[in-house]
């Protein structure tokens, strides 16, 4: 294991502590932030929010982008726009960050967990189809879960660590079962499936710009969609549902203060300019890891799945078993190289322990073996 620590220290040219993923501000960040402060428009109005929304939509190839205060709020609003209501069910994967399930729960809906594929670590179309065949029927164009007597309104796959899941097949299944597809693309900015950007396959897609993501605004998120009506409603719901008026305060529904401040958008516009450079840098890092781990029998480096171009947001390895994983985590973290296990499966958390789920063999397998290793951009 010392060999791994030595190698990572060589990669990052340091013997000091190496964080998992550090943000880099090497472009116009300070310039735009200063401009934003000088303008005094630091909050809810300002040119950087509009500019970011335009440039982001263009980058991922969607018609509209609506900036939000974080990725969780982007998911919350997207699920509301997918018509998810209290007591409805939402299909998702158990191997994900808590935000996915929190957003579902804010509405009073319940997550239902379907297993992931081993090659993508994301929702498995094969298990999705099997779950629906076994448990569900279509009644009056809605998907009814015969086991729980609830309606399945939406499906939220997640592109784990930036590796695209088999999203085109998932979309095809959702369409057939009258389930709205909402993509949690929080981790996959810069990742493509069959040449199309992740997050743009569903009716709505969401991204996060939290401090640990590939680009960051400190905190932030965005909703993307091609549907003009949904885009307008997303903007309305994230901005307290205020009716435009020169001076009066009229709001037409109970809504949210989820907009991204202009200050954060200024930072984000500059970060977006650096994205291609970050992606290239990460690919170079991946190449080094591939060569290094090829020579190790007991550690497998995770590469992008078929048909996909991954942003390699978090680099990952698979250990032989849970005890090997635990030893690896302990050794690396004790020797100045920060590494992290995958999340505890959502169905194992107290809040979701009663949620329906299928076998979850693959998710369990991955939970016990995956470790994320140093993934930060090096700018060499
Ligand atoms: C980061 C992340 C989010 C959103 O997180 P925020 O901190 O609210 O921006 C959502 N889902 C996944 C899978 C994530 O990794």
């Amino acid at each position: 294991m010392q060999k791994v620590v030595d190698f990572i220290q060589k990669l990052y040219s340091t013997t000091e502590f190496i964080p998992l993923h550090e943000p880099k501000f090497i472009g116009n960040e300070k310039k735009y932030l200063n401009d934003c402060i000088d303008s005094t428009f630091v909050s809810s109005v300002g040119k950087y929010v509009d500019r970011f929304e335009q440039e982001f939509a263009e980058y991922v190839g969607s018609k509209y982008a609506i900036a939000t205060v974080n990725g969780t709020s982007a998911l919350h609003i997207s699920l509301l726009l997918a018509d998810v209501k209290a007591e409805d069910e939402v299909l998702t994967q158990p191997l994900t960050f808590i935000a996915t399930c929190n957003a579902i729960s804010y509405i009073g809906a319940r997550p239902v967990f379907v297993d992931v594929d081993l090659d993508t670590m994301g929702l498995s179309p094969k298990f999705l189809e099997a779950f629906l065949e076994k448990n569900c029927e279509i009644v009056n164009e809605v998907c009814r879960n015969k086991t729980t007597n609830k309606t399945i309104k939406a499906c939220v796959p997640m592109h784990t660590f930036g590796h695209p899941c088999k999203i085109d097949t998932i979309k095809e299944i959702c369409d057939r079962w009258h389930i709205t597809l909402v993509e949690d693309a929080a981790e996959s900015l810069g990742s493509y499936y069959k040449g199309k950007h992740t997050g743009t396959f569903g009716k709505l897609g969401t991204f996060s710009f939290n401090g640990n993501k590939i680009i960051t605004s400190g905190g932030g998120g965005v909703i993307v969609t091609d549907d003009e009506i949904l885009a307008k409603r997303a903007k309305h719901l994230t901005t307290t549902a205020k009716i435009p008026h020169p001076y009066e305060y009229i709001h037409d529904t109970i809504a949210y203060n989820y907009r991204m401040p202009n200050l954060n958008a200024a930072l984000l516009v500059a970060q977006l300019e650096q994205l291609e450079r970050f992606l290239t840098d990460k690919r170079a890092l991946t190449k080094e890891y591939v060569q290094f781990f090829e020579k190790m029998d007991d550690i497998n480096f995770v590469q992008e799945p078929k048909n996909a171009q991954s942003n390699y947001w978090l680099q990952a390895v698979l250990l032989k078993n849970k005890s090997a994983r635990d030893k690896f985590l302990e050794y690396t973290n004790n020797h100045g190289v920060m590494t992290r296990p995958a999340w505890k499966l959502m169905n194992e958390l107290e809040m979701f322990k009663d949620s329906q789920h299928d076998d979850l063999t693959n998710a369990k397998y991955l939970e016990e073996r995956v470790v994320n290793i140093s993934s930060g951009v090096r700018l060499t």
Side-chain angles (χ1 to χ4, degrees):
M1 257 176 288
Q2 185 57 40
K3 261 169 68 183
V4 177
V5 170
D6 288 343
F7 182 71
I8 291 176
Q9 287 179 338
K10 201 179 95 204
L11 284 177
Y12 284 87
S13 315
T14 181
T15 50
E16 292 186 9
F17 174 74
I18 300 168
L20 192 65
H21 193 287
E22 216 177 19
K24 286 277 190 295
F25 304 109
I26 49 160
N28 289 318
E29 285 86 354
K30 286 181 183 167
K31 184 174 153 206
Y32 296 164
L33 277 170
N34 275 330
D35 177 53
C36 183
I37 291 167
D38 291 343
S39 78
T40 76
F41 287 100
V42 295
S43 185
S44 50
V45 185
K47 65 179 183 188
Y48 285 108
V49 174
D50 298 336
R51 185 169 154 192
F52 170 71
E53 289 179 340
Q54 261 171 31
E55 290 176 2
F56 191 84
E58 206 170 295
Y59 183 84
V60 300
S62 71
K63 284 207 183 119
Y64 307 97
I66 302 91
T68 60
V69 73
N70 55 43
T72 311
S73 59
L75 265 175
H76 180 193
I77 296 298
S78 295
L79 289 167
L80 288 171
L81 294 177
D83 197 36
V84 176
K85 299 211 159 63
E87 299 301 314
D88 284 340
E89 291 181 340
V90 177
L91 295 164
T92 190
Q93 60 200 62
L95 187 73
T96 185
F97 178 56
I98 187 73
T100 318
C101 293
N102 279 342
I104 295 167
S105 306
Y106 295 164
I107 302 177
R110 280 164 176 264
V112 170
F113 301 109
V114 172
D115 206 358
V116 296
D117 281 321
L118 282 179
D119 57 343
T120 68
M121 299 182 286
L123 190 74
S124 163
K126 188 179 87 187
F127 294 128
L128 176 64
E129 180 91 69
F131 179 91
L132 291 165
E133 287 290 342
K134 183 171 166 220
N135 298 291
C136 303
E137 62 183 355
I138 295 168
V139 184
N140 298 327
E141 311 228 311
V142 296
C143 179
R144 201 180 73 93
N145 184 338
K146 292 182 279 186
T147 319
T148 57
N149 252 322
K150 308 247 187 228
T151 302
I152 297 181
K153 279 279 178 65
C155 175
V156 187
M158 198 275 282
H159 304 288
T160 308
F161 309 139
H163 297 301
C165 63
K166 293 159 191 152
I167 192 69
D168 60 342
T169 316
I170 292 172
K171 177 171 168 33
E172 185 269 311
I173 295 168
C174 287
D175 285 350
R176 231 180 325 109
W177 284 87
H178 300 272
I179 295 168
T180 304
L181 178 62
V182 176
E183 281 175 88
D184 183 350
E187 306 186 350
S188 65
L189 176 58
S191 300
Y192 297 80
Y193 188 76
K194 295 184 178 169
K196 186 170 159 64
H197 201 290
T198 53
T200 65
F201 288 79
K203 192 110 190 127
L204 300 128
T206 63
F207 295 83
S208 164
F209 307 108
N210 190 36
N212 61 345
K213 297 301 200 288
I214 192 159
I215 60 170
T216 183
S217 47
V222 71
I223 301 167
V224 297
T225 182
D226 282 341
D227 185 317
E228 187 184 356
I229 293 169
L230 290 184
K232 284 194 173 137
R233 285 181 59 206
K235 196 61 172 176
H236 195 57
L237 282 180
T238 51
T239 55
T240 66
K242 186 177 176 298
I243 305 292
H245 189 278
Y247 45 82
E248 278 204 86
Y249 298 103
I250 303 162
H251 307 260
D252 64 358
T253 185
I254 292 174
Y256 304 87
N257 177 18
Y258 276 177
R259 74 176 98 210
M260 177 185 285
N262 199 41
L263 202 54
N264 300 68
L267 185 59
L268 201 48
V269 168
Q271 284 270 285
L272 192 57
E273 291 171 353
Q274 300 300 319
L275 180 57
E276 282 311 309
R277 189 165 172 200
F278 291 171
L279 289 167
T280 307
D281 194 281
K282 278 170 170 293
R283 286 222 152 238
L285 180 66
T286 300
K287 217 170 140 191
E288 304 231 35
Y289 276 137
V290 169
Q291 282 170 7
F292 175 74
F293 285 110
E294 247 166 25
K295 288 175 257 147
M296 298 193 105
D297 295 336
D298 49 350
I299 305 178
N300 265 318
F301 181 76
V302 179
Q303 285 181 260
E304 64 196 352
K306 261 211 317 237
N307 298 318
Q309 185 182 324
S310 175
N311 66 358
Y312 281 100
W313 168 56
L314 285 190
Q315 314 274 358
V317 290
L318 279 179
L319 278 292
K320 264 192 318 210
N321 51 44
K322 188 168 185 298
S323 106
R325 180 205 72 167
D326 291 345
K327 282 191 198 121
F328 183 91
L329 281 169
E330 190 172 316
Y331 193 90
T332 46
N333 283 295
N334 281 340
H335 289 79
V337 173
M338 179 173 168
T339 60
R340 286 291 180 265
W343 314 277
K344 194 173 174 62
L345 297 185
M346 291 300 114
N347 57 296
E348 290 172 3
L349 298 179
E350 186 58 32
M351 309 81 85
F352 306 118
K353 67 177 189 335
D354 297 328
S355 284
Q356 189 183 9
H357 58 78
D358 67 2
D359 213 14
L360 307 184
T361 314
N362 290 345
K364 193 77 205 155
Y365 179 94
L366 291 168
E367 183 202 26
E368 290 179 350
R369 289 167 180 80
V370 168
V371 177
N372 291 124
I373 57 174
S374 314
S375 308
V377 164
R378 296 173 301 164
L379 302 171
T380 44

